[in-house]
Amino acid sequence: MYKCFFFFIFLIQYSYSQNYRIIYDFSYKLDSLKDSSDNMEMVLDLRRDYSRFYYKKLIKLDSLVRRGSIISYGFPIQQVIKRRISSFKNENFVNVQDKYYNFPSTDEMKWKILSETKFSNNFKLQKAETTWGGRKWIAWFSLQVPFSEGPYKFNRLPGLIFEVKDSKDNFNYKLISINEIVSEYDSSNVVESSLGLSPILITLRQYQKLLINNYNNPFSEYYTMKEGTWGLTIFDKHITNVEGLKSIKKDYQRQIINNYNPIELDKAVKY
């Protein structure tokens, strides 16, 4: 059930002077050939001039880091975004080989608003469609929450996006809750930095090259380290030398290929 304020239900105008946190359930398929999906909760933070979209789990990890813990983490889908409100210009934040990067993109969407409507938890939702990123998308938005934002890069409809999914059910976002942020939380440490690690500014093309290099030369950072000073546990094996790294290279590459189902097909790399 959606957690919403009284004034949302009665159509009182949204105020950009207030801050809001919207939680979406995000289901995704790492392997498009499989029927099963994984799920995680995502956060859309709305401020007066900009929005941030990121993994909800990062809030907890950031709290641990602020108390002195050392955290190493990874997520199967790269979806950390910052943009100005109702803009198609996005800042993309990604992790590759334990480094944090930032590259800009312009992601314009041309929506077709349809007459079809439905009700969900007392909200009237209206259907819209677009073709973007090499996929066809179906969205449901509500004029009762009149601001033009949504999960990931989806925005510029005349109301908040409550649901959006691709036509082949690889990716599906569903709104869980809307709440005013009463106590200010600085989420820059989970977006503009990766738990304190500042991003390196690159381009989309450079990011694609990083992915290819990670596939062709996995674990390259360990090759220059002195044997006996490092260890890596992967595929139920504990690796401590270069020969061990070489023995798992093909398994690692196979894992990348099997789990590579990019949300933006038009920007996919060819492994």
Side-chain angles (χ1 to χ4, degrees), residues 47 58-59 129 134 176 181 184 208 268:
R47 299 296 191 267
L58 283 174
I59 297 175
E129 296 178 344
I176 298 175
I181 301 176
E184 182 65 21
Q208 293 168 328

Side-chain angles (χ1 to χ4, degrees), residues 74-75 78 95-98 210-223 232-237 239 244-260 271:
F75 292 98
Q78 303 270 20
N95 289 90
V96 182
Q97 291 184 320
D98 296 326
L210 286 170
L211 294 180
I212 292 294
N213 182 65
N214 182 53
Y215 176 82
N216 290 331
N217 305 289
F219 318 114
S220 58
E221 66 271 25
Y222 294 103
Y223 278 71
L232 175 67
T233 300
I234 186 171
F235 303 129
D236 296 322
K237 298 178 181 178
I239 309 298
L245 293 176
K246 291 179 179 179
S247 72
I248 62 170
K249 180 177 180 179
K250 288 185 178 180
D251 289 335
Y252 182 77
Q253 291 175 327
R254 189 179 301 112
Q255 182 185 65
I256 289 176
I257 292 174
N258 290 342
N259 293 330
Y260 188 60
Y271 291 117

Side-chain angles (χ1 to χ4, degrees), residues 36 53 61 135 200 202 229 233 265 269:
S36 61
F53 187 71
L61 295 181
R135 300 181 187 272
I200 302 168
I202 57 173
T229 63
T233 300
L265 290 174
V269 299

